[in-house]
Amino acid sequence: MGARLWRRGRGAGMAELSGGSEAVAVALWPPGEAPPAFQYSPESVAGADGELDPTEVTFPGCSCCRSSCAPPECPCLSRGHNYSSPGLWLAEREQLPFSRPVFECNSLCLCGEGCRNRLVQRGLRLRLQVFRTPRKGWGVRALQPVPRGSFVCEYAGEVLGLAEAQRRVRAQSPQEPNYIIAVREHLHDGRVMETFVDPTRVGNVGRFLNHSCEPNLFMVPVRVDSMVPKLALFAAADISAGEELTYDYSGRFHNAPGAGREHNPLEEENSLRKPCYCGSRSCASFLPWDSSLFSTPASSP
């Protein structure tokens, strides 16, 4: 885990956000400015509530004795959505009501490190820059072209249980930014699996991604060693160098209508909503709202 917020690079005015903890440097702009301090971590960590440990290994490994796994022999590839070189296969996705998860080969698998079913676990590979925007605070842009379907970055932070996520949201003032994301997966038996990630104190470059009502990224739960997913962001379209990277905070993008996390806010909750400055033609004027995080946590028995 990176211990420093950012460090000077070799070039004049160059700054790096990850403290050297990423395989690829994360640039900062403009020179001499930096976001408020936080601890950089390329991957998610266990939250202070200790409910979930994203580093725990509970999945069995595949016994594929080849350099790269292939369906239908590999059990990892039969659990969810699969990759196509060099990223996520999108043609099938667009016909699905929900974003299906991906199950990557894990630390117990016998396949090689070069297996094509090991993508998100390799971490950041694109050159990104965290930059000051005119109206939205800090944002992220690509410093190189990004082909459609490519893995861009993880949304990493503290993995929390529902009660702790609600406690943190309720403790925030209206002026504070809310980084906590709630991802809900609809299982085949009707149950809903929830994942809460908070990069406020510990996080990575993903915490600076802004919302857009017409985004160029979408989020997919990617599981490697356990049911605790990595929240991976992929390119929804070809992205040009210099273009800002955005995703839909509500979860509606690349899902069926009504599949998102957003709920219609009560009248008294409207004062807590923040304006949206994405500038898209379909802009909803306000950032997405998830009122479930503001409800009172269930008391322990």
Side-chain angles (χ1 to χ4, degrees), residues 161-171 292-298:
L162 172 60
E164 177 63 12
Q166 289 178 326
R167 187 195 68 79
R168 293 190 182 189
V169 167
R170 290 161 63 88
S292 67
L293 289 177
F294 289 84
S295 61
T296 303

Side-chain angles (χ1 to χ4, degrees), residues 30-289:
E33 290 191 36
F38 72 102
Q39 189 170 14
Y40 195 101
S41 176
E43 299 179 315
S44 286
V45 300
D49 57 356
E51 281 199 27
L52 297 167
D53 182 0
T55 66
E56 185 180 11
V57 181
T58 59
F59 284 166
C62 70
S63 57
C64 304
C65 297
R66 56 187 353 184
S67 59
S68 189
C69 295
E73 295 84 5
C74 180
C76 303
L77 295 172
S78 65
R79 295 171 176 163
H81 199 71
N82 299 333
Y83 298 129
S84 64
S85 183
L88 196 66
W89 179 257
L90 295 183
E92 181 184 347
R93 280 185 40 77
E94 294 167 346
Q95 303 172 14
L96 298 173
F98 295 101
S99 294
R100 290 174 57 195
V102 170
F103 290 81
E104 293 193 358
C105 291
N106 60 48
S107 57
L108 299 181
C109 292
L110 297 182
C111 57
E113 289 298 316
C115 176
R116 76 173 185 177
N117 196 39
R118 300 177 185 269
L119 177 61
V120 173
Q121 63 188 266
R122 295 183 184 133
L124 185 66
R125 289 294 183 269
L126 297 174
R127 292 185 295 114
L128 306 179
Q129 183 184 73
V130 174
F131 72 105
R132 173 76 75 176
T133 71
R135 300 188 71 186
K136 298 180 291 185
W138 294 89
V140 183
R141 59 189 169 202
L143 295 182
Q144 65 183 83
V146 181
R148 179 175 180 263
S150 298
F151 168 60
V152 174
C153 69
E154 184 178 346
Y155 191 86
E158 293 180 84
V159 182
L160 307 174
L162 172 60
E164 177 63 12
Q166 289 178 326
R167 187 195 68 79
R168 293 190 182 189
V169 167
R170 290 161 63 88
Q172 293 174 346
S173 70
Q175 292 74 35
E176 291 180 287
N178 174 40
Y179 292 103
I180 299 176
I181 191 169
V183 173
R184 297 183 175 89
E185 298 175 78
H186 296 253
L187 307 183
H188 66 280
D189 59 2
R191 291 179 298 151
V192 177
M193 180 173 292
E194 296 181 310
T195 302
F196 302 95
V197 174
D198 181 11
T200 305
R201 306 166 186 168
V202 181
N204 72 336
V205 63
R207 76 196 291 277
F208 296 103
L209 291 166
N210 283 312
H211 165 82
S212 176
C213 299
E214 296 180 13
N216 52 18
L217 304 180
F218 62 95
M219 183 175 285
V220 175
V222 175
R223 292 181 167 87
V224 182
D225 288 319
S226 73
M227 283 300 290
V228 180
K230 294 176 178 290
L231 304 184
L233 290 144
F234 293 84
D238 290 336
I239 299 171
S240 303
E243 186 176 343
E244 183 177 3
L245 303 172
T246 59
Y247 72 104
D248 186 342
Y249 290 179
S250 74
R252 290 172 302 198
F253 188 66
H254 267 244
N255 280 308
R261 300 180 294 270
E262 188 175 14
H263 303 278
N264 291 327
L266 300 174
E267 185 174 348
E268 62 268 23
E269 294 173 334
N270 277 320
S271 61
L272 298 176
R273 301 193 75 187
K274 293 179 171 62
C276 178
Y277 299 117
C278 74
S280 66
R281 291 169 297 178
S282 61
C283 182
S285 300
F286 291 95
L287 293 180
W289 176 262

